[in-house]
Amino acid sequence: MLKTALRNVLANKARLVMTVLAVCLGVAFVCGTLVFAESSAAAYRAAASRNFADIAVTVTPKASPPGTSDERTGALDDTLVRKLADVPGVAAARPAADGAATLNGADGRPLRAGKAWANLAAAYVPGKDGKDGRHPLVKGRAPQNGEELAVDSGTAAAGRFRIGDAVTLATDGPVMKKRLVGIVSTEDTRVTAGGTLALFDKATAQQLFASPGQYTSIDVSATPGTDQFALAERVSAVLPADRAEAVTGSAQATQQATYTDTLTRGYQKMPMVFAGVSLFIGSFLIVNTFTMLVARRTREIGLLRAIGSSRRQVVRSLLWEAVLIGLAASAAGFLLGLGIASVLPDLLSTPQDTLPHGPLVIGPLPVVAALGVGVGVTVLAAWLPSRKAAKVAPIEALRAADQPPTATASRVRGVAGLILLVLGGGLLVSLTGAKDASEGNLRNAMFGCALLVVAMIVSAPLLAVPVIRLSGRLTGRFGITGRLATENALRDPRRTAATAAALMVSTALVAGLAVIGNSTGQALDRQAAAGLGADYVISSRTTMTAIDPAAEKRVADTPGVRTAAAVADSTVFTGGSVRGIAGVDPAAVDEVMKLDFTSGSLKDLGPGRIAVSATVAREQGLRAGGEVKARIGRNQEFKAYAVVGVYEDNPTAGDVLGARAEVQRDSNLPGSVQRILVRTDGGAVSRATGDRLRAATGNSPLVRVKDRQEIVDEAAGPLGDLLTLMYGLLAIGAVISLLGIVNTLAMSVSERTREIGVLRAVGMDRAGVRRMIRLESVSVAAFGTVLGLAGGLFGAWGVGALANGAMKEYSLALPWGTLVLVCLVSLVVGALAAAVPARRAAALSPLEAVAQT
């Protein structure tokens, strides 16, 4: 039977190549993602190891006990550096003063501001040779005073800096300008992963990040042959008790690599989604291919049964074919996956997010995954057709080449499809009344969508007849060729349904995601701008920084500005929960916020008086004229606050509104403001106005100036990943559907050789044969598209009803452009898939075709 399986594979190799390609795509995505993940992790570890190669132990200050002031300041100084240098086994002790700094690029915009965790700053600490081993100079010289700066080569390239340029930057205070005197290289994985590095002279770094004469850490290098852990124990013995601790360099390298890898792990998820989808959709192609092959070999299988082969042997023979095909697909997919893994760092890297490059790391997991996925999926997909073939009685198999489904089988399929449809659709309908996007409801909605997809797959053969009959009204306009195309598509509804299944599933996924994405995007647009009367919002980039209070007057004096209202943001503790409170000036708030009060107003807002959102009022039972116990920011005591008004939820105002002076007094950053809301004359918004506002804030890289549209775009930013995923799924579904339709039509043409010969003999020309095959292909593609669109839209409606509970602005919005694109892609796929089979059918000689048995 193994020889029989091998012979059948070789005999049908041209037809099975489509199946191999489908499985190959899934295997390639899986293996490529796994190899990419392992290679990226190894590259991060290698970079971190190089960065800490000369560090055996690092000494850092211990955190102060809770509730105490900074009692441990002064633990790391020059005296401790000298003590550490005298410890046996220590080659050198290098002090460090590290912190964070955000730089403006040459265009005046913050450089890689979205990666605050990787915008590093440090001291350039020369050794005895006058060079800093951790930051080798590439160009220029080291900074020597407080007016000079050095950066790494990646930062210089991203910011378009040259030696001698004036660089604007900020740490956690006022804007500074330094002259760039040097460019260095670094192996710090945080920087190589897309961050920045700014280097100051030692005295300036101490003043910025520690205090004069103090350091944030001390790096200790070891003499040759000294064990890191033994040295760490000796170093710990000379450290101030309870004020500093020693950590080995290897532990730091592992920790930094793990941290950076965790932050960039999201890049590994999208390829895995593509892999799962391609395997799922490709399984339909595999099932359909084996079903058709088994149908064509019914007589052969009957003959094998007649000469003594058992059912088990027949099943094993077909499964051996699947194993051979799976092995071939696994090998091809594994090689393709290595290619994918090698290009993914370049494809996923951006100027702001650079992924590391390194040699490919091929562990056992990608190899096992290639075999498991490729062989496993193929064998599972072939198992059902093989069992069905083995059940055919030898005499029946020898008498007929095709076994139509029995009436009982059709009824069972219909009942099963109806049950699944009722269960899936009923579950989605029942959730529409929940209006609650809880994790449990979302899980139930996803389960309902899955049941809906399975119901469509099971019911597809029964739905094929009415849908294709309907589309036949259009193809019938092409005359006899159109009518023949419709009848050919309906000749075997099971085959037509199986062929269209891949396109149906991918269309359902894309349509559903497109509707949800478009509806969510529009809701985010409305939500982001809701309650905002200002044309610009100036805000600090982090919660630990603030805007210079004097900037409010400079902004107000900017040409074109009508109103500038500063807002002090802080936290308020009330009713056992932590809420955000915005300190505002009641006289200016109406100009920059759109507040809709259900009771009370802001006219009485002042010290000891607050206004609350409708959600806070509902949750804590508050109303205008009432009272609530609360404390603001760092204030340690609760006191009674009068509630002067209740307003509809407003993202600009937040949960609670208070008097600005009181919020500033009690906030964690006393006297500071975190936002300035700007109203321009006539609502004018332009790049020039934005630049003037940035200049008014000192062009601080720690401050953002955004107009209303930028706020909307930022809120909808995560939808970019959804859009990429959606079009990726569409591409995968289109490719696999193309392969499936080509495979089906090629086999169909082979089966209908005599029929096509008769048509040619009675007068149909080659163009008519080609048109008939193309119309049949387009009919199958249209069937899959219509069914997929119906399922996707229904699923999006069900899931969207839950989103409406979490986002009041959410409403179903159909992306007509995307849906039309999906339909066009499907029809193009159908037309392209028919090209080769149609040409082959038209090339048949009428006499030879009629004579073929």
Side-chain angles (χ1 to χ4, degrees), residues 194-212:
T196 60
L197 175 64
L199 295 176
F200 305 91
D201 67 287
K202 185 170 69 173
T204 302
Q206 286 177 317
Q207 183 177 2
L208 289 172
F209 308 122
S211 57

Side-chain angles (χ1 to χ4, degrees), residues 119 141 203 216 287 334 400 484 507 642 752 779 784 814 817:
N119 291 336
R141 61 175 175 82
T216 57
V287 170
F334 184 76
L484 286 172
T507 301
R752 288 156 33 199
S779 296
L814 298 182

